[in-house]
Amino acid sequence: MTNKWRPATTLVHGGTLRSQYGEMSEAIYLTQGFAYDSSEAAEARFKGETEGYIYARYGSPTNDMFEKRMCALEGAEEARATASGMAAVSAALLCQLKAGDHIVAARALFGSCRWVVETLAPRYGIECTLIDGRDLANWEKAIQKNTKVFFLESPTNPTLEIVDIAGVAKLADQIGAKVVVDNVFATPLFQKPLELGAHIVVYSATKHIDGQGRSLAGVILSDKAWVDEHLQDYYRHTGPAMSPFTAWTLIKGLETLPIRVKAQTDNASKIADFLAEHKHVAKVIYPGRKDHPQADIIAKQMSGGSTLVCFELKGGKEAAFKLQNALDVVTISNNLGDTRSLITHPATTTHKNLTDEARAELGISPGTVRFSAGIEDGEDLLEDFARALASI
């Protein structure tokens, strides 16, 4: 493989491992274990004296191909594939923390991520401080002597707020803390957290990477030293590993990732511009528009917009439900990053477990709607929204 390849080429060829049969489509190694030529060979494998696979929970050829391809795209040294995005988030945080440690997290997180840092971590004696992550001063103020991890999404779910990753990473480096970035909404094509100074990147590979409604999956990426010191033993002994069949579907998904994300982003941009001019829409938040409140930071750390649009309807929950129920091409779902366009009402689905006050802090009102653009014809989507909005 060569480092000179551009993303589209890397995502077709990176990490390819062929068997003696020379198959073109990557093989699926559906096995839980591996055989050894001798007892001595097994001993050497377990001692780490020879390379090779031991058990599918630790790694397999198919998973290895997916991990290597993701490393080539992300610019990471090591990756570990997990059974879901939340398995990736939980492992990335808990593998490096112990009782008495402290997390600083941006409050604008996916509901399950907030549960991990607000509810689960404190059960094990790990403290957490939630802040408005848009202001770097808040990160600095929240630092304690025992702060070990900064955790954030950018853009955030669902309101597409932006966190200055390079600024947060600089603060973390000053105290020896690690920055974990959930990079799902930016995709690995539009934002490179490791290049911005972050130490660990996590994805729900369900979104965009598979992106075709087939698989639950996640992945953690970092440098080899961090994986060896913190993640490897946690991964081996707690078992969040991805199945080889899922890894194969993700390898196939990566081949078309640039094409799909470009089409999705083009559609998201068209819908954002259309909604911004509509009388029933109070506001639109989209990273590809110049009126985004943090357009200056977006210009520094993102190379593209997003496949997601957040907007607020003037009629609140009633208007949001009417719109969603009237759409024909767009499907109501809590997923995102799919080939199909999807729409979500966060206050009653993905963020329903937050208090009214917490949702208000995040800018999630009863009229807030999240749109995930698919790869359909953009004109069909525009016509679908125009007709549905007319029904309000």
Side-chain angles (χ1 to χ4, degrees), residues 181-316:
V181 176
D182 181 337
N183 202 44
V184 167
F185 274 38
T187 80
L189 296 172
F190 290 158
Q191 186 166 264
K192 302 291 186 183
L194 298 179
E195 293 180 4
L196 295 167
H199 307 95
I200 302 105
V201 182
V202 295
Y203 289 98
S204 170
T206 309
K207 288 83 173 170
H208 300 111
I209 293 171
D210 172 49
Q212 295 166 71
R214 303 170 298 189
S215 302
L216 284 176
V219 63
I220 308 164
L221 301 107
S222 187
D223 59 73
K224 188 177 187 304
W226 182 85
V227 170
D228 289 348
E229 181 180 355
H230 297 288
L231 181 59
Q232 182 60 21
D233 284 344
Y234 181 100
Y235 185 85
R236 288 179 60 152
H237 299 305
T238 63
M242 178 186 289
S243 78
F245 183 80
T246 299
W248 182 81
T249 64
L250 297 176
I251 290 168
K252 298 289 94 182
L254 283 174
E255 292 181 1
T256 61
L257 180 66
I259 300 169
R260 289 184 286 107
V261 168
K262 182 183 185 303
Q264 290 165 329
T265 304
D266 288 347
N267 281 339
S269 179
K270 290 177 183 177
I271 295 299
D273 290 343
F274 170 76
L275 292 172
E277 301 299 325
H278 201 281
K279 64 182 181 180
H280 290 317
V281 178
K283 67 176 178 180
V284 171
I285 305 173
Y286 181 65
R289 284 177 58 86
K290 293 180 180 179
D291 60 1
H292 190 287
Q294 297 157 292
D296 56 334
I297 302 175
I298 291 169
K300 290 193 302 181
Q301 68 185 36
M302 293 181 67
S303 60
S306 177
T307 66
L308 283 299
V309 180
C310 179
F311 61 99
E312 183 178 347
L313 290 164
K314 294 177 181 178

Side-chain angles (χ1 to χ4, degrees), residues 14-18 23 26-29 53 60-70 248 251 254:
T16 298
L17 174 66
R18 290 193 173 95
E23 63 277 352
E26 294 81 358
I28 310 173
Y29 292 87
Y53 301 102
S60 75
T62 312
N63 291 40
D64 199 34
M65 282 189 277
F66 169 65
E67 290 167 353
K68 283 183 166 54
R69 196 166 290 186
M70 282 299 303
W248 182 81
I251 290 168
L254 283 174

Side-chain angles (χ1 to χ4, degrees), residues 65-211:
M65 282 189 277
F66 169 65
E67 290 167 353
K68 283 183 166 54
R69 196 166 290 186
M70 282 299 303
C71 283
L73 174 63
E74 195 72 38
E77 293 178 354
E78 291 284 335
R80 292 293 180 270
T82 62
S84 70
M86 284 313 305
V89 169
S90 300
L93 294 173
L94 297 179
C95 77
Q96 59 181 321
L97 294 166
K98 64 182 185 303
D101 288 344
H102 176 240
I103 306 170
V104 180
R107 68 190 184 194
L109 295 172
F110 174 57
S112 294
C113 293
R114 279 192 60 147
W115 185 86
V116 169
V117 297
E118 278 190 297
T119 303
L120 181 62
R123 293 179 184 175
Y124 299 100
I126 301 165
E127 301 174 37
C128 173
T129 301
L130 288 173
I131 61 165
D132 182 344
R134 293 171 295 181
D135 189 345
L136 281 177
N138 293 335
W139 293 92
E140 189 168 13
K141 290 175 186 176
I143 292 172
Q144 300 178 10
K145 291 181 179 180
N146 57 342
T147 300
K148 301 298 181 184
V149 170
F150 289 167
F151 178 44
L152 61 98
E153 300 173 1
S154 186
T156 62
N157 182 5
T159 53
L160 301 173
E161 294 178 0
I162 305 297
V163 178
D164 185 345
I165 297 173
V168 173
K170 185 176 180 180
L171 289 173
D173 288 340
Q174 291 172 2
I175 62 168
K178 298 295 184 182
V179 176
V180 180
V181 176
D182 181 337
N183 202 44
V184 167
F185 274 38
T187 80
L189 296 172
F190 290 158
Q191 186 166 264
K192 302 291 186 183
L194 298 179
E195 293 180 4
L196 295 167
H199 307 95
I200 302 105
V201 182
V202 295
Y203 289 98
S204 170
T206 309
K207 288 83 173 170
H208 300 111
I209 293 171
D210 172 49

Side-chain angles (χ1 to χ4, degrees), residues 326-365:
L327 288 164
D328 183 29
V329 178
V330 183
T331 304
I332 300 171
S333 176
N334 53 291
N335 194 25
L336 61 94
D338 198 281
T339 51
R340 300 165 182 83
S341 288
L342 307 174
I343 199 158
T344 306
H345 185 249
T348 55
T349 58
T350 57
H351 292 70
K352 77 174 183 64
N353 290 329
L354 298 181
T355 64
D356 292 341
E357 292 77 12
R359 282 195 295 270
E361 284 181 347
L362 297 177
I364 302 172
S365 74

